[in-house]
Amino acid sequence: MANVELKRIDEEVLQSLGRPSPRYAAVMALCALLMAAGLTAYMFQYYLGMGVTGLSVPVGWATYITNFVWWIGIAHAGTLISAILFLFRAKWRNRINRAAEAMTIFAIMTAGLFPLVHLGRVWVFFWILPYPNWRHTWPNFKSPLVWDVIAVTTYLTVSTLFFYLGLLPDIAAARDRTEPGVRKRLYTFAALGWTGKYDEWRHYARTYLALAALVTPLVISVHSVVSWDFAMALVKGWHTTIFAPYFVAGAIHSGLATVIILLIPLRKALRLERVFTLYYFEQMALLMILTGSIIAYSYGVEAFMSWYSADVFERQFSAFRAFHSPYTPWFWFMVVGNCVVPLTFFWKNARTNWAWLLIASIIVDAAMWFERLVIIAGSLIHDYLPSEWGWYVPRLPEVLMTCFALGFFTFAFLTFVKLFPSAALSEMKHDALEREEERI
Amino acid sequence: MAFTRREFLRGIGLAAGGVAIPSVAYDRLIPYLNQPEDIVPGVSTWFATSCRECPAGCGMVVRNRESRVVKCEGNPLHPFSRGKLCPRGQAAPQGLYDPDRIRQPLRRSELGKLEPVSWDSALSELGDMLARKPRVAVMTDLQTGTLDALMRAWLAALGSDRLITYEPISYEHVKDTNGGLIPTYEIAKSDFLISFACDFLETWVSPIEYAIEFAKMREIRDGKRAGFVYVGPRVSMTAANADVRLMVSPDVIEQIATAFLEGTLERDARKYGIDPDSAKAATDGFAAAKRPLALPGLAANTCCGTAIFNARRDTGLVNRSRRHALSYVSSAADVDSFTRDTESGVIGALVIHNANPVYAMPQSERFTEALKRVPVVISLSSHLDETTAMAGWVLPSNTPLESWGDYAPYPDVVNLMQPAMGTLFDTRQAGDTLLALARAAGVNTKQSFKADTFVEYLRTRWSLAGEPWQELLQRGGKFAGAPAGLTATPITGYNTLGDPPVDRRAASLPGSTADPHFHTAAPSIYSLRLWAFPDSYLYDGRGANKWWLQETPEPVVKGVWGSWAEIHPSTAAKLGVSTNDCVKIENGGASVSVPVYVWNGVKPGTIAIPMGEGHTDYGQFARGVGVNIWPLLTEDVPLVNVTPGGGTQWVARIRGSTDQSHRAIVQTASLGENWSREKPIIMPLPSGYGKRDFYPGNKYKKHRWAMVVDLDRCIGCHACVTACYAENNLGMVGAEGVFRRREMSWIRIDRYVFDSAGHGYDIPERRGDAGSSLGRLLFQPMLCQQCDAAPCEPVCPVFAASHSEEGLNMQVYNRCVGTRYCSNNCPYKVRRFNWWDYKWPEPLNWQLNPDVTVRCRGVMEKCTFCVQRIRQAEITALREQREVMDGEITPACVQTCPTGVFTFGDLMDKNSRVSSIIETDPRAYQVLAELNTKPAVIYLKKVI
Amino acid sequence: MTRIRGVFDDWDAFKDALRTLKQARGSGYTAYGPVNLNEVQDLMPEKSSYVRGWSTLGAASGLATFFLMCVLTSMIFDLVVGGKPPVSRVPYVIPTYEGTILFGAIFAFVAGLIYAWVGLRPLPAGYDARFSGDAFGVEITCDPAEREAMSGLLRDSGAVEVYEL
């Protein structure tokens, strides 16, 4: 009977909010350590200057901006799953979308740190924001960096709203199934007095639809804008019109990989094996074949156009990047990691093998990170005047800040899974009932 | 000579000369209680004096703001330096403000430490000592005129005549082969110049003078111009400017000279190890020449070669009547016998003035030992150099910028020196110290010197000659033929022990011309010819305490902050070393370990090392940087033992490729063809916007500043770079900063190889510039191009980079948040980022130009076309209710360039020089014009 | 007026109850449940929602606001960069685009909350916690006279529990 099914869902999911295991605590401690290390490094950079990094005159951007672009990319998968697949009525999204959305938000937060970290004078960062002031100074809305600021903040705001809206009924469910205490009070507050009345549901549905419809173009635009940070500049290797779709595809690519990386341990740790079943991972793996192929196509087009342009700078640069650059090994790693590895998912037993799913996803994420680095630093080291050609090697503060990002993200995500149901209850119940319909 | 208004102003400023200036012994600016009439806060005063950074003696005017020296520039009235100054002259204030200057008299205590002592006690004690009539001797750097005379008179008064004028680079052989003097080589008149390893554009006798003459000589008249051949083992900056470069071993230079004259050069090209084509080119040039002229280098055989050459083809271009002051430097023989005397303990007291033989003398340890035998050594130097560190007494002198005096580089050029600011520390005029010592020793100075102070002495000497003192002071000296009594008199070296002078030529003539690789002393030890050349900026080592000079890159290798040994790839292969590997070099009992720089700009079998580094003392900027090779120089070009090994050490140099990779960055036009412009100039004006542009472009109200850079005139001397350091308060980053590519120079001199193979994918750090022979080097000054459609501007999120209504790319430092996007997007990479808070150790910060802000960490900075000078001129024009005249504004780089590479002006003014050049000159082009950034710096093609 | 509530643990029974109510009354009743299903919405008396309208309005205002912000600020702070006129409209498309979405979303969200009258409020009296878990509820508002009839109706259609608030 229905209610049995529904009860089971409640129990299964809500049990994951129970007392954390020692392993959980250990991971949290590790994250805290990483964050501490990163902050220490950053303090040095703040007080001494950007000189502590490996940056130089040809290479003004490197690891920090790489991290920014990469984390923003990670964020995209969440929105894709929750919004785009919602519009496409892809049922399989319904269990993983909650976790994916949470990932989105924390990834944006992490990404948002790096533009600040890379500023020479972070203490006046707010000059980039448009706010009325007695000096009558305003930001330059022609600058891609200002586009970034607007796009990313919009993205964070809207996806947070979307996330919270989706969470509302589940918080209510959790509220009604916890003993009085701090948690109960938290849920009562957060549920905003949700009663499950069908008038509420009506407006809720419309709002959800409206937001989904708005987030979808947003997610496409955000990474396009990020890619224009580079495409708008005239640096060889940056100045390409294909960058927008190329970056969006790459973003979703790495995002899906990250969802897989997050959920595989999660389902074990939180005993959600029956919630996050293999089926969902297969779906994501298949989607990665698509995104991977788009990336492969972009690589191809880039190389072809640089040859077809017959432009000495373009041609020399492509050859440099592929064969002579200090980053050449990473270049090939990124080609293999992003384009070839996902193709293995064509084979059923590759994409149904937990271990391989995990390994492949890690490779993809790493490859995507290096793609960003190869594009950003790898182009700057070899621009127009040979006398100014340089090189770049990250130094300790940059490495530690990258660790900080990982620590911060994991910390936030783990906090979330213990605080709120990490699978969408109402959506799952919805599916359960519909399946029943079909049975009858 | 064109007289710009700025120079006229300066002339007025000079009127301040001779007025006593209050000392600036306080560290903060406070308003004057009673204001000296000649000092207006905010208005700079200019004092004419003579540059004493090297023996050349260029005329110099010193800018004084609120009674602090802030910048040195050339004296436009000066006959041969003509308002130009080399990096060393530009860096003169760094000596004045050297944080490690000696600030008060010192004496050596029982413990052997130098400890402060008051002038009075020092003078009285030394006076008593001198009164006991020891055999006194004076050792000074090159002095002419008054100080020289005073020293002689002083010695005479103390019953001695032992004056040694010691210059480490004494041009011994030039003198030997020119009847004991250094003549003037009138290269401007010759139509074929051949330099036998003579680096007359960098360090040789009078670099600025010869650079100016060289530019004159190379001017193109009706499609032809004088040829220039360089014969030598290393591609020096001078060699880089030659039409034909004959890379030969130092041993055969003399044979080359004869081969030239006998026309056998082409035939024997292989024998001398030069490629026949260049040999042919050189021979043809020589054959066609009417007035060929050869210049001698420092090594003996180069001088012999030159002598033979000039003797055979005497074209009267060697002007022996106009001898250079360097002719009066004591000969090596004198120095030898002086050392011998010192060893024998004859000398009772030795006064050393600025000379630093302990550091800079071949086999200096012999002299060092001798020096220990002298009971009383008194040093008058201003800096604690190696010799001073050994002295028992230090009576510090003022630096030249604080001193009175005169210096006569030529008989017809006598520079007057006046203090450009009050004394910074408790130091005295060297002359005054000597007089005081004499007085303390009981000599009646009024009687025997007709003066109690040096100024008095100086004025008497000049007024005796009936010179209009004030006027000369304002002009900076007496320039049209000096009257008798003012010219320096030759020093007849004394020989109490009567030894014949040692003939060093015999000693230094090469033994065999075979490849030195073959006679190896022991396995894995190679003997190579050591080619020691004076560093372009440190000269013989005296510049090493000035961080500007340490950081200005050596023009060809781009080395900074250290020593390196240049060897040819083939030699490197034999030694089994590559760039940054250290080698041990031994000779004459001394040895140094130095990293090699492998490239093809040096002859196989030769190892070339710059002089001037490796000080054990001489201040924080000099101490422990690089190696000192003076001790190795048993002869001019000694055969030294080279052993690989000793670890690796990074050769501190500004990296980047020398390979144009077919990018047409330095474009060339070949001589004799009639040139035409391939591409029209895209003007940085509304007229430069057209179909390819989306927007109409900027309207300018009044001015649009632009610059023309004539690549054909650029010799790569870096005077502009140093001038920019001085004018714009640029931070110095040191070797580590250069390693990380964080040098702050707003203008840099790029150099590219002309006939490059086009393998443009590699940075030389990894390729080591290897290749059989180095093509012709092209120098290109690269500064902010002040683009009209500037890529750096729109990307800035906060409008820190924006366009001024006079066409400049402004960088608003205190609006900048430091995204570095502008730098990424600058195709010329001329923007500089403040990676740290750059510091100026006290009192170096006193030199900072008050018209230019000092940038804090985290902001981007860049060339501004010296906007402060532009504003100055505009304000003056406004006050005088007139337009700014063309040529009135000269940015620092433009001002100091000896060969007149730069032209600065207003594009809105159709008659300005820049407009007319851009209008007419067929060589005009824009770097990376295809990017349509519409640069306002227009280059003129190099003529090959 | 009184409110009678029937609690259903069977999904079909719940739907039957709503169907009968729709035929019998057409209005004056509502329902509770842990999930939203369109077929349930079809059986509800009230269907309209103006959230979309508000969202559109928000989008429009966002468009205007951001475009004007770009134009006006560059008129105040009119600096020339890269040879472009201070007010160069093309690049302003991007901030405008983002602003449109931002305001659209915020308006939709706020409107949604206000309509659903979810807000910072205590749970209404007689809130049944089961409705957020596995149970459904039908609530009829009628005058005391019909009380029996209605509770009967609910029981017949399979409510496990009927009570009056």
Side-chain angles (χ1 to χ4, degrees), chain A residues 70-139:
Chain A
W70 189 73
W71 280 105
I72 285 283
I74 300 296
H76 278 52
T79 327
L80 171 97
I81 291 169
S82 55
I84 300 180
L85 296 186
F86 172 78
L87 295 182
F88 284 118
R89 299 283 186 270
K91 288 249 179 308
W92 61 271
R93 82 181 252 288
N94 286 349
R95 295 196 174 190
I96 54 173
N97 73 332
R98 177 60 36 76
E101 284 172 37
M103 179 194 76
T104 299
I105 287 165
F106 301 132
I108 302 172
M109 289 177 176
T110 321
L113 293 175
F114 282 97
L116 299 182
V117 170
H118 103 292
L119 279 189
R121 297 207 299 165
V122 68
W123 48 93
V124 288
F125 79 95
F126 55 88
W127 287 353
I128 304 180
L129 307 173
Y131 65 98
N133 61 81
W134 59 267
R135 300 191 303 279
H136 296 295
T137 56
W138 290 92

Side-chain angles (χ1 to χ4, degrees), chain C residues 52-118:
Chain C
R52 244 176 307 169
W54 282 105
S55 176
T56 321
L57 182 67
S61 64
L63 187 141
T65 317
F66 273 68
F67 186 71
L68 286 178
M69 178 171 73
C70 295
V71 172
L72 296 179
T73 55
S74 44
M75 284 165 86
I76 298 168
F77 199 37
D78 54 350
L79 294 172
V80 174
V81 290
K84 300 173 173 62
V87 183
S88 40
R89 291 175 286 310
V90 182
Y92 298 164
V93 171
I94 288 122
T96 312
Y97 180 91
E98 302 295 337
T100 312
I101 291 177
L102 179 63
F103 278 36
I106 292 173
F107 271 57
F109 186 78
V110 174
L113 287 194
I114 290 169
Y115 277 125
W117 200 247
V118 183

Side-chain angles (χ1 to χ4, degrees), chain A residues 29 33 153 247 258 292 300 347 358:
Chain A
L33 196 70
T153 41
F247 267 49
T258 314
W347 285 276
L358 192 59

Side-chain angles (χ1 to χ4, degrees), chain A residues 46-61 118-121 123-124 127-128 135 137-140 142-146 228-230 232-235 238 312-313 316 319-320 324 326 380 382-391 395, chain B residues 655-657 659-663 665 736 739-742 748 750 752 760-763 766 782 791 793-799 813-821 823-829 831-833 835-836 856-859 927-928 930-931 933:
Chain A
Y46 185 94
Y47 287 112
L48 296 177
M50 295 305 289
V52 300
T53 65
L55 299 169
S56 63
V57 159
V59 188
W61 290 353
H118 103 292
L119 279 189
R121 297 207 299 165
W123 48 93
V124 288
W127 287 353
I128 304 180
R135 300 191 303 279
T137 56
W138 290 92
N140 171 9
K142 303 180 192 74
S143 164
L145 291 185
V146 175
W228 290 335
D229 284 350
F230 309 104
M232 289 288 159
L234 44 61
V235 179
W238 287 11
V312 60
F313 301 106
Q316 287 185 0
F320 169 78
H324 310 282
L380 286 169
H382 191 90
D383 72 347
Y384 292 91
L385 293 192
S387 73
E388 284 296 294
W389 286 346
W391 72 98
R395 289 173 76 194
Chain B
R655 285 169 280 189
S657 179
D659 185 338
Q660 289 206 58
S661 340
H662 310 301
R663 297 181 174 202
I665 294 155
E736 202 258 357
F739 172 76
R740 302 208 176 281
R741 286 311 298 271
R742 290 167 180 176
R748 61 173 197 266
D750 291 345
Y752 295 105
Y761 310 132
D762 214 344
I763 51 180
R766 286 158 59 220
M782 182 50 68
E793 287 169 352
V795 297
C796 176
V798 292
F799 282 118
Y813 301 132
N814 48 10
R815 176 69 173 168
C816 177
V817 298
T819 66
R820 298 183 295 290
Y821 200 171
S823 172
N824 291 347
N825 209 24
C826 172
Y828 308 93
K829 287 288 175 285
R831 291 176 153 265
R832 296 290 177 246
F833 187 71
W835 302 98
W836 314 100
C856 88
R857 72 174 191 269
V859 306
V927 174
L928 302 175
E930 58 269 54
L931 296 179
T933 57

Side-chain angles (χ1 to χ4, degrees), chain B residues 46 58 224 227 280 348 350 384 390 430 484 574 607 708 733 781 810:
Chain B
W46 296 85
C58 303
K224 283 194 291 300
K280 183 179 188 328
L350 173 61
L384 196 70
M390 287 184 66
K574 287 206 182 70
I607 182 164
V708 172
V733 299
M810 302 185 293

Side-chain angles (χ1 to χ4, degrees), chain A residues 5 60 64 72 97 119 145 170 175 234 249 351 386 394 410 430:
Chain A
E5 175 71 5
Y64 291 151
I72 285 283
N97 73 332
L119 279 189
L145 291 185
D170 297 1
R175 171 194 64 197
L234 44 61
R351 64 171 184 266
T410 323
H430 183 283

Side-chain angles (χ1 to χ4, degrees), chain A residues 279-301:
Chain A
Y279 168 75
Y280 302 96
F281 293 90
E282 266 189 85
Q283 298 305 312
M284 286 191 279
L286 289 170
L287 201 52
M288 279 170 74
I289 297 177
L290 171 68
T291 49
S293 331
I294 299 177
I295 293 172
Y297 171 77
S298 313
Y299 290 163
V301 168

